[in-house]
Amino acid sequence: MDQWISQIEQWIRRQPVEQIYVAVAVLALTVVLFVLFSLLKTSKSNTMVLAGLSGSGKTILFYQLRDGSPHQGTVTSMEPNDGTFVLHSELGKKGKIKPVHLVDVPGHSRLKPKLDEFLPNAAGLIFVVDALDFLPNCRPAAEYLYDILTKSSVVKKRIPVLILCNKTDKVTAHSKEFIRKQLEKEIDKLRTSRNAISTADISDEFMLGVPGEPFTFEQCRNKVTVAEASGLTSEVSQVEQFIREHVKP
């Protein structure tokens, strides 16, 4: 061992001083970058945002995920429901589980701007759609979703979006495939009409889709998926899967 150390020392002495300084600087920079990467990795956001029109069932979903019960979720919220907790379905699991910061943003038109308070730090967004009364609300839901998908905070950070078709336990509820296609058609119409507005009026938005092609969610810069749930019957497994994909336990 002593001989080996001696050989290393002799080799170092033979190297130009400039090379030694460069090597030390590179090593120090590597250590700093590694520490910064570790800090960023561990401090990744655990915030998930629930958005959608009033009456879509966001608040019921909030309580199902937190308590395993839809209690207190039958009245339209006028203030955000905001809580940090371990998902109810994971309470029985052993080991340390990362809590989720879940925010239910009210769907009332006057309260939609509150969404901008939470999006910059969101790990994902769950857009809840009423699958039972979808057709009468298709246009306003598409408008709300269009506004979300063109926000700079969503596009630049590529925030994943889950379109959650709620109340699918009902026989007359529309399927997620039907809802997806209808939303794409409505957003395509909105894209055409809004792109005709001068760029000065939409300076804070990003354009959606590919020019000359019908709009589909696959064209979005951030990942958009569609799933089903029923807040009243505790069928929220697809929501939980989406949450845990982006907020690791």
Side-chain angles (χ1 to χ4, degrees):
M1 178 64 72
D2 292 340
Q3 185 180 0
W4 183 70
I5 293 174
S6 177
Q7 289 176 352
I8 293 176
E9 290 176 347
Q10 291 176 14
W11 180 84
I12 292 175
R13 291 194 188 99
R14 290 197 297 267
Q15 305 308 310
V17 176
E18 294 81 2
Q19 287 189 11
I20 296 176
Y21 287 157
V22 170
V24 171
V26 170
L27 179 61
L29 181 60
T30 302
V31 172
V32 170
L33 290 175
F34 177 78
V35 171
L36 287 175
F37 177 77
S38 299
L39 290 173
L40 289 173
K41 188 175 181 181
T42 55
S43 62
K44 188 176 180 181
S45 173
N46 67 333
T47 299
M48 300 297 298
V49 178
L50 283 167
L53 300 178
S54 293
S56 57
K58 299 186 303 300
T59 305
I60 287 177
L61 285 168
F62 178 91
Y63 285 108
Q64 278 286 10
L65 292 167
R66 194 190 74 174
D67 306 324
S69 168
H71 72 92
Q72 301 182 39
T74 56
V75 180
T76 300
S77 301
M78 294 304 289
E79 289 293 333
N81 289 303
D82 187 334
T84 301
F85 49 84
V86 173
L87 297 175
H88 184 267
S89 64
E90 297 176 338
L91 290 177
K93 292 185 177 180
K94 296 181 179 179
K96 187 176 181 180
I97 301 175
K98 186 174 183 178
V100 176
H101 176 215
L102 190 63
V103 182
D104 162 27
V105 180
H108 193 282
S109 57
R110 289 182 300 175
L111 300 174
K112 287 179 183 177
K114 282 187 171 290
L115 188 64
D116 293 326
E117 298 177 14
F118 303 101
L119 278 180
N121 297 317
L125 182 140
I126 302 165
F127 187 81
V128 186
V129 176
D130 186 337
L132 189 61
D133 295 322
F134 171 70
L135 287 178
N137 296 302
C138 180
R139 179 72 178 190
E143 289 176 343
Y144 193 4
L145 185 56
Y146 179 97
D147 291 339
I148 289 172
L149 294 176
T150 53
K151 285 183 180 294
S152 60
S153 57
V154 173
V155 178
K156 288 181 179 179
K157 292 186 64 179
R158 298 183 183 272
I159 295 175
V161 174
L162 175 69
I163 300 172
L164 186 67
C165 307
N166 192 26
K167 307 180 185 180
T168 54
D169 58 300
K170 305 297 182 183
V171 177
T172 54
H174 295 284
S175 68
K176 67 178 184 180
E177 290 79 13
F178 176 82
I179 291 173
R180 180 192 185 102
K181 290 179 180 178
Q182 293 303 311
L183 286 174
E184 288 177 336
K185 288 179 181 178
E186 286 298 326
I187 289 177
D188 194 44
K189 295 176 186 175
L190 287 167
R191 182 181 63 155
T192 303
S193 60
R194 296 197 184 187
N195 285 356
I197 302 173
S198 66
T199 55
D201 293 329
I202 55 172
S203 58
D204 293 333
E205 294 184 337
F206 281 79
M207 299 295 183
L208 278 181
V210 178
E213 295 183 12
F215 172 77
T216 64
F217 289 119
E218 283 82 2
Q219 298 167 353
C220 293
R221 300 187 192 185
N222 53 314
K223 186 177 180 181
V224 180
T225 53
V226 185
E228 296 177 329
S230 174
L232 285 175
T233 62
S234 303
E235 181 45 60
V236 292
S237 59
Q238 293 182 41
V239 193
E240 293 174 329
Q241 180 180 350
F242 174 79
I243 291 173
R244 280 311 180 195
E245 281 179 4
H246 304 289
V247 180
K248 300 300 181 182

